[in-house]
Amino acid sequence: MKLAKLPDRTPVKVNVVLAPSLAKRLREYADFYAETYGSREEVTELIPFMLEAFLDGDVAFKKDKKRVDPAKSSSSE
Protein backbone atom coordinates (compact mmCIF):
# COMPACT_ATOMS: atom_id res chain seq x y z
CA MET A 1 0.00 0.00 0.00
CA LYS A 2 1.41 3.39 -0.97
CA LEU A 3 -0.47 5.32 1.68
CA ALA A 4 1.19 5.17 5.07
CA LYS A 5 -0.87 4.64 8.20
CA LEU A 6 -2.53 7.90 9.15
CA PRO A 7 -1.12 9.65 12.22
CA ASP A 8 -3.10 10.10 15.41
CA ARG A 9 -5.55 12.92 14.80
CA THR A 10 -7.18 12.97 18.20
CA PRO A 11 -7.23 16.62 19.32
CA VAL A 12 -5.42 17.43 22.55
CA LYS A 13 -6.99 20.17 24.65
CA VAL A 14 -4.55 22.54 26.30
CA ASN A 15 -5.47 25.34 28.68
CA VAL A 16 -3.23 28.38 28.84
CA VAL A 17 -3.34 31.60 30.80
CA LEU A 18 -2.53 34.71 28.80
CA ALA A 19 -1.42 38.15 29.88
CA PRO A 20 -4.13 40.71 29.12
CA SER A 21 -1.84 42.42 26.62
CA LEU A 22 -1.33 39.18 24.67
CA ALA A 23 -5.06 38.39 24.71
CA LYS A 24 -5.68 41.86 23.27
CA ARG A 25 -3.07 41.34 20.54
CA LEU A 26 -4.63 37.99 19.63
CA ARG A 27 -8.07 39.63 19.31
CA GLU A 28 -6.48 42.32 17.13
CA TYR A 29 -4.88 39.59 15.03
CA ALA A 30 -8.27 37.90 14.61
CA ASP A 31 -9.67 41.26 13.47
CA PHE A 32 -6.81 41.61 10.97
CA TYR A 33 -7.48 38.06 9.75
CA ALA A 34 -11.14 38.93 9.19
CA GLU A 35 -10.21 42.10 7.29
CA THR A 36 -7.73 40.16 5.16
CA TYR A 37 -9.83 37.10 4.33
CA GLY A 38 -13.37 38.38 4.78
CA SER A 39 -14.32 35.71 7.31
CA ARG A 40 -14.25 35.99 11.06
CA GLU A 41 -12.56 33.23 13.03
CA GLU A 42 -12.37 32.96 16.78
CA VAL A 43 -8.95 33.40 18.35
CA THR A 44 -9.20 29.84 19.67
CA GLU A 45 -9.55 28.58 16.09
CA LEU A 46 -6.56 30.60 14.88
CA ILE A 47 -4.11 29.72 17.65
CA PRO A 48 -3.33 26.12 16.57
CA PHE A 49 -2.52 27.30 13.04
CA MET A 50 -0.46 30.21 14.38
CA LEU A 51 1.55 27.85 16.57
CA GLU A 52 2.09 25.43 13.70
CA ALA A 53 3.27 28.26 11.43
CA PHE A 54 5.59 29.49 14.17
CA LEU A 55 7.14 26.06 14.70
CA ASP A 56 7.41 25.40 10.96
CA GLY A 57 9.22 28.72 10.53
CA ASP A 58 11.67 28.29 13.39
CA VAL A 59 14.89 27.38 11.57
CA ALA A 60 16.86 26.58 14.72
CA PHE A 61 14.11 24.24 15.96
CA LYS A 62 13.94 22.44 12.61
CA LYS A 63 17.72 22.12 12.52
CA ASP A 64 17.78 20.63 16.02
CA LYS A 65 14.97 18.20 15.16
CA LYS A 66 17.01 16.96 12.19
CA ARG A 67 20.04 16.52 14.43
CA VAL A 68 18.08 14.58 17.06
CA ASP A 69 15.98 12.42 14.74
CA PRO A 70 16.85 12.74 11.03
CA ALA A 71 14.26 10.14 9.91
CA LYS A 72 11.30 11.89 11.56
CA SER A 73 12.16 15.43 10.50
CA SER A 74 12.64 14.57 6.83
CA SER A 75 9.32 12.70 6.66
CA SER A 76 7.37 15.57 8.23
CA GLU A 77 8.61 18.28 5.87
Side-chain angles (χ1 to χ4, degrees), residues 14-65:
V14 177
N15 294 315
V16 296
V17 177
L18 305 175
S21 59
L22 178 57
K24 180 179 185 257
R25 290 178 66 199
L26 288 170
R27 286 190 301 273
E28 292 169 350
Y29 192 89
D31 292 341
F32 177 62
Y33 180 94
E35 291 170 15
T36 302
Y37 295 111
S39 66
R40 178 150 303 278
E41 298 288 346
E42 294 296 321
V43 169
T44 54
E45 294 295 320
L46 295 174
I47 289 173
F49 296 97
M50 294 167 72
L51 289 172
E52 189 168 19
F54 174 83
L55 292 173
D56 288 348
D58 189 322
V59 176
F61 178 68
K62 287 167 74 171
K63 195 182 270 189
D64 185 66
K65 292 297 287 178

Short mmCIF file of all heavy atoms in Angstrom, two decimals, residues 14-65:
data_model
loop_
_atom_site.label_atom_id
_atom_site.label_comp_id
_atom_site.label_asym_id
_atom_site.label_seq_id
_atom_site.Cartn_x
_atom_site.Cartn_y
_atom_site.Cartn_z
N VAL A 14 -5.55 21.92 25.45
CA VAL A 14 -4.55 22.54 26.30
C VAL A 14 -5.13 23.85 26.81
O VAL A 14 -5.66 24.64 26.03
CB VAL A 14 -3.24 22.82 25.51
CG1 VAL A 14 -2.23 23.53 26.37
CG2 VAL A 14 -2.67 21.53 24.95
N ASN A 15 -5.02 24.07 28.09
CA ASN A 15 -5.47 25.34 28.68
C ASN A 15 -4.25 26.20 28.95
O ASN A 15 -3.26 25.72 29.51
CB ASN A 15 -6.22 25.09 29.99
CG ASN A 15 -7.50 24.34 29.76
OD1 ASN A 15 -8.26 24.66 28.84
ND2 ASN A 15 -7.76 23.33 30.57
N VAL A 16 -4.32 27.45 28.56
CA VAL A 16 -3.23 28.38 28.84
C VAL A 16 -3.80 29.65 29.46
O VAL A 16 -4.96 30.00 29.25
CB VAL A 16 -2.44 28.76 27.56
CG1 VAL A 16 -1.75 27.56 26.97
CG2 VAL A 16 -3.32 29.42 26.55
N VAL A 17 -2.97 30.32 30.21
CA VAL A 17 -3.34 31.60 30.80
C VAL A 17 -2.52 32.66 30.09
O VAL A 17 -1.30 32.54 30.00
CB VAL A 17 -3.05 31.61 32.33
CG1 VAL A 17 -3.37 32.96 32.92
CG2 VAL A 17 -3.85 30.50 33.02
N LEU A 18 -3.20 33.67 29.56
CA LEU A 18 -2.53 34.71 28.80
C LEU A 18 -2.52 36.03 29.56
O LEU A 18 -3.47 36.35 30.27
CB LEU A 18 -3.26 34.95 27.47
CG LEU A 18 -3.47 33.74 26.58
CD1 LEU A 18 -4.33 34.12 25.38
CD2 LEU A 18 -2.14 33.17 26.13
N ALA A 19 -1.45 36.78 29.36
CA ALA A 19 -1.42 38.15 29.88
C ALA A 19 -2.48 38.95 29.14
O ALA A 19 -2.74 38.69 27.95
CB ALA A 19 -0.04 38.76 29.65
N PRO A 20 -3.11 39.90 29.79
CA PRO A 20 -4.13 40.71 29.12
C PRO A 20 -3.63 41.35 27.83
O PRO A 20 -4.36 41.42 26.84
CB PRO A 20 -4.51 41.77 30.16
CG PRO A 20 -4.18 41.14 31.46
CD PRO A 20 -2.97 40.27 31.21
N SER A 21 -2.38 41.78 27.82
CA SER A 21 -1.84 42.42 26.62
C SER A 21 -1.75 41.44 25.45
O SER A 21 -2.02 41.80 24.30
CB SER A 21 -0.47 43.04 26.91
OG SER A 21 0.43 42.04 27.35
N LEU A 22 -1.39 40.19 25.74
CA LEU A 22 -1.33 39.18 24.67
C LEU A 22 -2.73 38.82 24.19
O LEU A 22 -2.96 38.67 22.99
CB LEU A 22 -0.58 37.93 25.15
CG LEU A 22 -0.48 36.79 24.13
CD1 LEU A 22 0.17 37.26 22.83
CD2 LEU A 22 0.28 35.62 24.73
N ALA A 23 -3.67 38.69 25.10
CA ALA A 23 -5.06 38.39 24.71
C ALA A 23 -5.58 39.49 23.79
O ALA A 23 -6.25 39.21 22.79
CB ALA A 23 -5.93 38.26 25.96
N LYS A 24 -5.26 40.74 24.11
CA LYS A 24 -5.68 41.86 23.27
C LYS A 24 -5.04 41.76 21.89
O LYS A 24 -5.72 41.95 20.87
CB LYS A 24 -5.30 43.18 23.94
CG LYS A 24 -5.69 44.40 23.15
CD LYS A 24 -5.30 45.68 23.90
CE LYS A 24 -5.82 46.89 23.16
NZ LYS A 24 -4.83 47.60 22.41
N ARG A 25 -3.76 41.46 21.84
CA ARG A 25 -3.07 41.34 20.54
C ARG A 25 -3.65 40.20 19.72
O ARG A 25 -3.77 40.31 18.50
CB ARG A 25 -1.57 41.14 20.76
CG ARG A 25 -0.89 42.40 21.29
CD ARG A 25 0.57 42.19 21.56
NE ARG A 25 1.27 41.95 20.30
CZ ARG A 25 2.47 41.39 20.21
NH1 ARG A 25 3.11 41.02 21.31
NH2 ARG A 25 3.06 41.21 19.05
N LEU A 26 -4.02 39.11 20.36
CA LEU A 26 -4.63 37.99 19.63
C LEU A 26 -6.00 38.38 19.07
O LEU A 26 -6.33 38.01 17.93
CB LEU A 26 -4.74 36.76 20.53
CG LEU A 26 -3.42 36.06 20.85
CD1 LEU A 26 -3.63 35.01 21.93
CD2 LEU A 26 -2.84 35.43 19.59
N ARG A 27 -6.78 39.14 19.83
CA ARG A 27 -8.07 39.63 19.31
C ARG A 27 -7.83 40.57 18.13
O ARG A 27 -8.57 40.51 17.13
CB ARG A 27 -8.86 40.33 20.42
CG ARG A 27 -9.47 39.36 21.43
CD ARG A 27 -10.45 40.05 22.37
NE ARG A 27 -9.85 41.13 23.12
CZ ARG A 27 -9.21 40.99 24.29
NH1 ARG A 27 -9.10 39.80 24.84
NH2 ARG A 27 -8.70 42.03 24.91
N GLU A 28 -6.82 41.42 18.23
CA GLU A 28 -6.48 42.32 17.13
C GLU A 28 -6.05 41.51 15.90
O GLU A 28 -6.38 41.86 14.77
CB GLU A 28 -5.38 43.29 17.54
CG GLU A 28 -5.83 44.29 18.58
CD GLU A 28 -4.69 45.09 19.20
OE1 GLU A 28 -3.50 44.74 18.98
OE2 GLU A 28 -4.98 46.06 19.91
N TYR A 29 -5.31 40.44 16.13
CA TYR A 29 -4.88 39.59 15.03
C TYR A 29 -6.09 38.93 14.36
O TYR A 29 -6.17 38.85 13.14
CB TYR A 29 -3.89 38.52 15.51
CG TYR A 29 -3.20 37.81 14.38
CD1 TYR A 29 -2.02 38.30 13.86
CD2 TYR A 29 -3.73 36.65 13.82
CE1 TYR A 29 -1.37 37.66 12.80
CE2 TYR A 29 -3.11 36.00 12.78
CZ TYR A 29 -1.93 36.51 12.28
OH TYR A 29 -1.31 35.88 11.23
N ALA A 30 -7.04 38.49 15.16
CA ALA A 30 -8.27 37.90 14.61
C ALA A 30 -9.03 38.93 13.78
O ALA A 30 -9.59 38.60 12.73
CB ALA A 30 -9.13 37.34 15.74
N ASP A 31 -9.04 40.18 14.24
CA ASP A 31 -9.67 41.26 13.47
C ASP A 31 -8.95 41.45 12.14
O ASP A 31 -9.57 41.61 11.09
CB ASP A 31 -9.68 42.58 14.25
CG ASP A 31 -10.59 42.55 15.47
OD1 ASP A 31 -11.48 41.67 15.53
OD2 ASP A 31 -10.38 43.39 16.36
N PHE A 32 -7.62 41.46 12.18
CA PHE A 32 -6.81 41.61 10.97
C PHE A 32 -7.07 40.44 10.01
O PHE A 32 -7.19 40.63 8.81
CB PHE A 32 -5.33 41.69 11.36
CG PHE A 32 -4.39 41.78 10.20
CD1 PHE A 32 -4.43 42.86 9.33
CD2 PHE A 32 -3.44 40.80 10.00
CE1 PHE A 32 -3.55 42.94 8.26
CE2 PHE A 32 -2.57 40.86 8.93
CZ PHE A 32 -2.62 41.94 8.06
N TYR A 33 -7.17 39.25 10.56
CA TYR A 33 -7.48 38.06 9.75
C TYR A 33 -8.82 38.26 9.04
O TYR A 33 -8.95 38.00 7.85
CB TYR A 33 -7.51 36.82 10.64
CG TYR A 33 -7.83 35.55 9.89
CD1 TYR A 33 -6.82 34.75 9.41
CD2 TYR A 33 -9.15 35.16 9.66
CE1 TYR A 33 -7.10 33.58 8.70
CE2 TYR A 33 -9.44 34.00 8.97
CZ TYR A 33 -8.42 33.21 8.49
OH TYR A 33 -8.70 32.07 7.79
N ALA A 34 -9.81 38.72 9.77
CA ALA A 34 -11.14 38.93 9.19
C ALA A 34 -11.10 39.99 8.09
O ALA A 34 -11.74 39.83 7.04
CB ALA A 34 -12.13 39.34 10.29
N GLU A 35 -10.35 41.05 8.31
CA GLU A 35 -10.21 42.10 7.29
C GLU A 35 -9.51 41.54 6.05
O GLU A 35 -9.88 41.86 4.93
CB GLU A 35 -9.40 43.28 7.83
CG GLU A 35 -10.10 44.08 8.90
CD GLU A 35 -9.16 45.07 9.57
OE1 GLU A 35 -8.06 45.34 9.04
OE2 GLU A 35 -9.54 45.57 10.65
N THR A 36 -8.52 40.71 6.26
CA THR A 36 -7.73 40.16 5.16
C THR A 36 -8.51 39.15 4.34
O THR A 36 -8.49 39.18 3.11
CB THR A 36 -6.44 39.52 5.70
OG1 THR A 36 -5.70 40.51 6.42
CG2 THR A 36 -5.59 38.96 4.58
N TYR A 37 -9.19 38.22 5.02
CA TYR A 37 -9.83 37.10 4.33
C TYR A 37 -11.34 37.21 4.22
O TYR A 37 -11.98 36.37 3.57
CB TYR A 37 -9.44 35.78 5.00
CG TYR A 37 -7.97 35.50 4.86
CD1 TYR A 37 -7.13 35.54 5.97
CD2 TYR A 37 -7.41 35.20 3.62
CE1 TYR A 37 -5.78 35.28 5.84
CE2 TYR A 37 -6.06 34.95 3.49
CZ TYR A 37 -5.25 34.99 4.60
OH TYR A 37 -3.90 34.75 4.46
N GLY A 38 -11.93 38.19 4.88
CA GLY A 38 -13.37 38.38 4.78
C GLY A 38 -14.20 37.38 5.56
O GLY A 38 -15.41 37.28 5.35
N SER A 39 -13.56 36.63 6.44
CA SER A 39 -14.32 35.71 7.31
C SER A 39 -13.76 35.79 8.72
O SER A 39 -12.55 35.81 8.91
CB SER A 39 -14.26 34.28 6.79
OG SER A 39 -12.95 33.77 6.86
N ARG A 40 -14.66 35.87 9.66
CA ARG A 40 -14.25 35.99 11.06
C ARG A 40 -14.01 34.61 11.65
O ARG A 40 -14.83 33.72 11.48
CB ARG A 40 -15.32 36.72 11.86
CG ARG A 40 -14.96 36.82 13.33
CD ARG A 40 -15.52 38.03 14.01
NE ARG A 40 -15.16 39.30 13.43
CZ ARG A 40 -14.02 39.95 13.67
NH1 ARG A 40 -13.09 39.42 14.42
NH2 ARG A 40 -13.81 41.14 13.15
N GLU A 41 -12.88 34.46 12.30
CA GLU A 41 -12.56 33.23 13.03
C GLU A 41 -12.27 33.60 14.47
O GLU A 41 -11.70 34.66 14.75
CB GLU A 41 -11.31 32.55 12.43
CG GLU A 41 -11.46 32.10 11.00
CD GLU A 41 -12.37 30.90 10.83
OE1 GLU A 41 -12.70 30.24 11.82
OE2 GLU A 41 -12.77 30.65 9.68
N GLU A 42 -12.67 32.75 15.37
CA GLU A 42 -12.37 32.96 16.78
C GLU A 42 -10.87 32.79 17.02
O GLU A 42 -10.22 32.00 16.33
CB GLU A 42 -13.14 31.97 17.65
CG GLU A 42 -14.64 32.17 17.62
CD GLU A 42 -15.07 33.51 18.19
OE1 GLU A 42 -14.48 33.96 19.18
OE2 GLU A 42 -16.01 34.10 17.63
N VAL A 43 -10.37 33.51 17.99
CA VAL A 43 -8.95 33.40 18.35
C VAL A 43 -8.60 31.94 18.64
O VAL A 43 -7.55 31.45 18.21
CB VAL A 43 -8.62 34.30 19.57
CG1 VAL A 43 -7.24 34.01 20.11
CG2 VAL A 43 -8.76 35.76 19.19
N THR A 44 -9.48 31.23 19.32
CA THR A 44 -9.20 29.84 19.67
C THR A 44 -9.06 28.95 18.44
O THR A 44 -8.40 27.92 18.49
CB THR A 44 -10.30 29.27 20.59
OG1 THR A 44 -11.57 29.45 19.96
CG2 THR A 44 -10.28 29.95 21.95
N GLU A 45 -9.69 29.34 17.33
CA GLU A 45 -9.55 28.58 16.09
C GLU A 45 -8.25 28.93 15.38
O GLU A 45 -7.68 28.10 14.66
CB GLU A 45 -10.74 28.86 15.15
CG GLU A 45 -12.06 28.36 15.68
CD GLU A 45 -12.10 26.85 15.80
OE1 GLU A 45 -11.57 26.16 14.90
OE2 GLU A 45 -12.65 26.35 16.80
N LEU A 46 -7.77 30.16 15.54
CA LEU A 46 -6.56 30.60 14.88
C LEU A 46 -5.28 30.11 15.57
O LEU A 46 -4.28 29.83 14.91
CB LEU A 46 -6.52 32.13 14.80
CG LEU A 46 -7.60 32.78 13.93
CD1 LEU A 46 -7.53 34.30 14.08
CD2 LEU A 46 -7.45 32.37 12.49
N ILE A 47 -5.32 30.01 16.88
CA ILE A 47 -4.11 29.72 17.65
C ILE A 47 -3.39 28.44 17.21
O ILE A 47 -2.17 28.47 17.02
CB ILE A 47 -4.40 29.71 19.17
CG1 ILE A 47 -4.65 31.14 19.64
CG2 ILE A 47 -3.26 29.06 19.97
CD1 ILE A 47 -5.11 31.26 21.09
N PRO A 48 -4.07 27.31 17.00
CA PRO A 48 -3.33 26.12 16.57
C PRO A 48 -2.57 26.33 15.26
O PRO A 48 -1.42 25.88 15.12
CB PRO A 48 -4.41 25.05 16.40
CG PRO A 48 -5.52 25.49 17.30
CD PRO A 48 -5.49 26.99 17.25
N PHE A 49 -3.18 27.05 14.32
CA PHE A 49 -2.52 27.30 13.04
C PHE A 49 -1.37 28.30 13.20
O PHE A 49 -0.34 28.19 12.52
CB PHE A 49 -3.54 27.80 12.02
CG PHE A 49 -4.57 26.76 11.71
CD1 PHE A 49 -5.79 26.77 12.37
CD2 PHE A 49 -4.32 25.74 10.80
CE1 PHE A 49 -6.75 25.80 12.10
CE2 PHE A 49 -5.26 24.76 10.54
CZ PHE A 49 -6.47 24.79 11.19
N MET A 50 -1.54 29.26 14.10
CA MET A 50 -0.46 30.21 14.38
C MET A 50 0.73 29.49 15.00
O MET A 50 1.89 29.73 14.61
CB MET A 50 -0.97 31.31 15.32
CG MET A 50 -2.05 32.19 14.69
SD MET A 50 -2.91 33.21 15.89
CE MET A 50 -1.64 34.41 16.28
N LEU A 51 0.46 28.59 15.94
CA LEU A 51 1.55 27.85 16.57
C LEU A 51 2.26 26.94 15.57
O LEU A 51 3.49 26.84 15.57
CB LEU A 51 1.02 27.02 17.75
CG LEU A 51 0.60 27.81 18.98
CD1 LEU A 51 -0.09 26.90 19.98
CD2 LEU A 51 1.80 28.49 19.61
N GLU A 52 1.48 26.29 14.71
CA GLU A 52 2.09 25.43 13.70
C GLU A 52 2.96 26.23 12.75
O GLU A 52 4.08 25.83 12.43
CB GLU A 52 1.01 24.68 12.93
CG GLU A 52 1.58 23.61 12.03
CD GLU A 52 0.52 22.68 11.49
OE1 GLU A 52 -0.68 23.02 11.51
OE2 GLU A 52 0.90 21.59 11.06
N ALA A 53 2.49 27.40 12.32
CA ALA A 53 3.27 28.26 11.43
C ALA A 53 4.54 28.74 12.13
O ALA A 53 5.62 28.78 11.53
CB ALA A 53 2.44 29.45 10.97
N PHE A 54 4.43 29.06 13.40
CA PHE A 54 5.59 29.49 14.17
C PHE A 54 6.63 28.38 14.23
O PHE A 54 7.82 28.60 13.97
CB PHE A 54 5.17 29.90 15.59
CG PHE A 54 6.33 30.22 16.48
CD1 PHE A 54 6.92 31.46 16.46
CD2 PHE A 54 6.83 29.26 17.36
CE1 PHE A 54 8.00 31.75 17.28
CE2 PHE A 54 7.91 29.53 18.18
CZ PHE A 54 8.49 30.79 18.15
N LEU A 55 6.20 27.18 14.60
CA LEU A 55 7.14 26.06 14.70
C LEU A 55 7.73 25.69 13.35
O LEU A 55 8.92 25.38 13.25
CB LEU A 55 6.44 24.84 15.32
CG LEU A 55 6.05 25.01 16.80
CD1 LEU A 55 5.23 23.81 17.25
CD2 LEU A 55 7.28 25.19 17.67
N ASP A 56 6.91 25.71 12.30
CA ASP A 56 7.41 25.40 10.96
C ASP A 56 8.42 26.42 10.49
O ASP A 56 9.30 26.11 9.69
CB ASP A 56 6.26 25.32 9.95
CG ASP A 56 5.39 24.09 10.14
OD1 ASP A 56 5.80 23.17 10.89
OD2 ASP A 56 4.30 24.05 9.54
N GLY A 57 8.31 27.66 10.96
CA GLY A 57 9.22 28.72 10.53
C GLY A 57 10.44 28.89 11.40
O GLY A 57 11.32 29.69 11.08
N ASP A 58 10.53 28.15 12.48
CA ASP A 58 11.67 28.29 13.39
C ASP A 58 12.83 27.44 12.88
O ASP A 58 12.88 26.23 13.09
CB ASP A 58 11.26 27.86 14.81
CG ASP A 58 12.34 28.18 15.84
OD1 ASP A 58 13.54 28.04 15.54
OD2 ASP A 58 11.97 28.57 16.96
N VAL A 59 13.77 28.08 12.21
CA VAL A 59 14.89 27.38 11.57
C VAL A 59 15.74 26.62 12.59
O VAL A 59 16.12 25.47 12.35
CB VAL A 59 15.75 28.38 10.76
CG1 VAL A 59 16.96 27.70 10.18
CG2 VAL A 59 14.92 29.03 9.68
N ALA A 60 16.03 27.24 13.71
CA ALA A 60 16.86 26.58 14.72
C ALA A 60 16.18 25.33 15.26
O ALA A 60 16.82 24.29 15.47
CB ALA A 60 17.17 27.54 15.87
N PHE A 61 14.86 25.40 15.47
CA PHE A 61 14.11 24.24 15.96
C PHE A 61 14.16 23.12 14.93
O PHE A 61 14.40 21.96 15.27
CB PHE A 61 12.67 24.65 16.26
CG PHE A 61 11.80 23.52 16.73
CD1 PHE A 61 12.01 22.92 17.96
CD2 PHE A 61 10.75 23.06 15.95
CE1 PHE A 61 11.21 21.87 18.40
CE2 PHE A 61 9.95 22.02 16.37
CZ PHE A 61 10.18 21.44 17.60
N LYS A 62 13.92 23.45 13.66
CA LYS A 62 13.94 22.44 12.61
C LYS A 62 15.33 21.81 12.49
O LYS A 62 15.45 20.60 12.32
CB LYS A 62 13.51 23.05 11.28
CG LYS A 62 12.02 23.34 11.24
CD LYS A 62 11.62 24.22 10.10
CE LYS A 62 11.64 23.50 8.79
NZ LYS A 62 11.04 24.30 7.70
N LYS A 63 16.35 22.63 12.62
CA LYS A 63 17.72 22.12 12.52
C LYS A 63 18.00 21.15 13.67
O LYS A 63 18.60 20.10 13.48
CB LYS A 63 18.70 23.30 12.56
CG LYS A 63 20.10 22.96 12.12
CD LYS A 63 21.01 24.17 12.24
CE LYS A 63 20.99 24.96 10.97
NZ LYS A 63 22.01 26.02 10.97
N ASP A 64 17.56 21.51 14.87
CA ASP A 64 17.78 20.63 16.02
C ASP A 64 17.00 19.33 15.88
O ASP A 64 17.50 18.27 16.23
CB ASP A 64 17.36 21.34 17.32
CG ASP A 64 17.70 20.50 18.54
OD1 ASP A 64 18.90 20.28 18.80
OD2 ASP A 64 16.75 20.03 19.21
N LYS A 65 15.76 19.41 15.36
CA LYS A 65 14.97 18.20 15.16
C LYS A 65 15.67 17.25 14.18
O LYS A 65 15.64 16.04 14.37
CB LYS A 65 13.56 18.53 14.66
CG LYS A 65 12.69 19.26 15.66
CD LYS A 65 12.42 18.46 16.90
CE LYS A 65 11.45 17.35 16.60
NZ LYS A 65 11.16 16.49 17.74
#
